[in-house]
Amino acid sequence: MKLFNNVLVVTSLFLSASAFAHVGLGSSMPANGAMLSQAPTTLELTFTAPVRLVKLTMQDDKQQSVPLTLPSSATSQAAFSFALPALNAANYTVNWMIMGDDGHKMKGNMSFMLHDSGMNTRSAPPMTMEHETSEHTAHQ
Amino acid sequence: MILSVFEISVLISKWVIYLSVAAVIGGTLMQYLIKGQPNLGISVTKYTGLGAVLGLIAVSINYFAQVGAFAENGLMGIFDAQMHAFLWPTQVGQTVLWRLIGFGLMLVASGLLLHKNRYIKTFSAVLAIISCLLIAVTFTFIGHSTEVGLLAQGLILIHVLIIGSWIGAFYPLWKLCSTDENIVIKNVMDTFGRLGIVIVILVLLSGMGMVWMLFDSPTELFSSNYGIAVTIKLCLVAIILFIAAWHKLVLVPKLTIENPSLAKQKLQKSIGLEALIAVLILATTAVLSSVLGPMSLG
């Protein structure tokens, strides 16, 4: 019975919804949830440990992608910097997928808002400010 | 959290990899302990050979499932050339390569061990040891310990070699109990029991050392999912240690005293139970080392 219970608890872990602690995004520039009146010229992502960036996309709220060039994956690094083109006023979401030095996959997103500098008073739609590390898959 | 097909495949294949590693390392150790038992020797050789084949299959499935998980492009994602090109030069690919070489060498060693020539047998024994070391070393390439440092990597190397020797020995020991010579069973079990003391000390030291390094505070053992999984693993380890002590102190001495065939049956059953718990420990470890992560790395 004890064995059965142990198996049950292990199985329930598969379905558990709480967050995992793994390498993730430590900070970013612009910060997650930032409301900016001046368009940033660079996007900086700093992870909690060296990682290889597998995928990175940046989109505005109309699903228009902002082109970003991924660095070579030859070595892992903690901080990444990307030059941004001239941005229009919009909500931007950055989706990242990384592989930590432990071989684990992690992904998550961060977002920021760029105001139209002349229209700072307009009511912007509420934006999600979650910074989630939603997935983590196995290594060997 | 709902795991994708790839994540479940990674998890199950990882579990099979662990079982194969145990079979290969434990089988190699047992070849020495059962010298002079040719029939049993052949069984153990087949066991390590099967472990090697399962290992080769599981390592390959594990790699393709990882590529699929990274590609996020449905089932065809496992053939994503870009993701293969990304993963292969990394520690993921290196681990796969060296594990394939390790299990491949073990397969060759198992084949050569069946040969009658003494020199070929010796060569195969050397090959088997090299293969065990290669496979164990790959555990330092990848996993949570790589994020912690060199000491943790040293501990994981010892942990894998020792756990493999222990868990992988259960099948040969179980098989040994089917032989008629109780005195041989007793001798092998006594030798294994003496080794067991060293094994237990090293397993506990290396395991606790890693827990110490991966956890910031003991409360995480109960408050985080990773901690709970580690606690479950520790409970299972405690049960298996209890069974091992029961064998050493009660069942093995009985082999040559009262009703030997009954004692042998009891021992065989008990080793079977021990093996079952070991399989559960490895399953918990597969969950621990993949879908969950320690808080300290957050």
Side-chain angles (χ1 to χ4, degrees), chain A residues 2-24 48-55 70-74 76 97-107 134-140, chain B residues 1-3 7 10-11 14 17-18 59 62-63 66 69-72 83 86-87 89-92 95-96 99 141-144 146-147 225 228-229 232 236 239 273 276-277 280 284 287 289-298:
Chain A
K2 189 164 187 174
L3 269 182
F4 179 74
N5 282 341
N6 281 336
V7 172
L8 209 66
V9 176
V10 172
T11 314
S12 71
L13 288 172
F14 286 93
L15 306 169
S16 164
S18 49
F20 312 113
H22 262 105
V23 176
T48 52
V51 297
R52 285 181 170 86
L53 203 51
V54 186
K55 285 179 188 170
L70 252 66
S72 132
S73 65
S76 54
M97 186 202 278
I98 54 165
M99 184 178 84
D101 276 349
D102 59 1
H104 288 171
K105 166 187 154 186
M106 291 294 293
K107 60 181 201 172
S134 56
E135 193 181 335
H136 162 220
T137 44
H139 64 92
Q140 309 183 29
Chain B
M1 172 182 61
I2 295 169
L3 297 181
E7 287 154 348
V10 166
L11 203 58
K14 182 189 263 188
I17 291 172
Y18 288 169
V59 167
N62 190 278
Y63 176 64
Q66 284 189 86
F70 272 109
E72 292 190 335
M83 211 43 80
F86 174 84
L87 279 179
T90 69
Q91 60 273 46
V92 172
T95 306
V96 172
R99 283 183 184 170
F141 295 173
I142 209 156
H144 297 140
T146 54
E147 301 274 10
N225 280 342
I228 293 166
I232 291 171
L236 290 170
I239 296 172
L273 178 67
L276 183 72
I277 295 172
L280 288 177
T284 319
V287 174
S289 59
S290 45
V291 284
L292 302 174
M295 303 285 269
S296 62
L297 300 182

Side-chain angles (χ1 to χ4, degrees), chain B residues 136 140 151-165 199 201-203 205-207 210:
Chain B
T140 65
L151 182 59
Q153 286 170 287
L155 288 178
I156 196 100
L157 176 64
I158 295 169
H159 203 69
V160 170
L161 281 171
I162 297 296
I163 287 278
S165 308
I199 285 177
I201 292 172
L202 285 177
V203 163
L205 282 181
S206 55
M210 279 186 287

Side-chain angles (χ1 to χ4, degrees), chain B residues 9-70:
Chain B
S9 310
V10 166
L11 203 58
I12 294 174
S13 56
K14 182 189 263 188
W15 184 35
V16 178
I17 291 172
Y18 288 169
L19 291 169
S20 311
V21 170
V24 158
I25 297 177
T28 303
L29 171 76
M30 285 307 290
Q31 285 290 6
Y32 291 94
L33 296 189
I34 55 156
K35 263 186 180 170
Q37 295 287 309
N39 287 338
L40 196 58
I42 292 172
S43 292
V44 175
T45 305
K46 284 181 183 163
Y47 169 64
T48 48
L50 180 70
V53 171
L54 278 181
L56 287 170
I57 296 170
V59 167
S60 308
I61 292 177
N62 190 278
Y63 176 64
F64 280 101
Q66 284 189 86
V67 172
F70 272 109

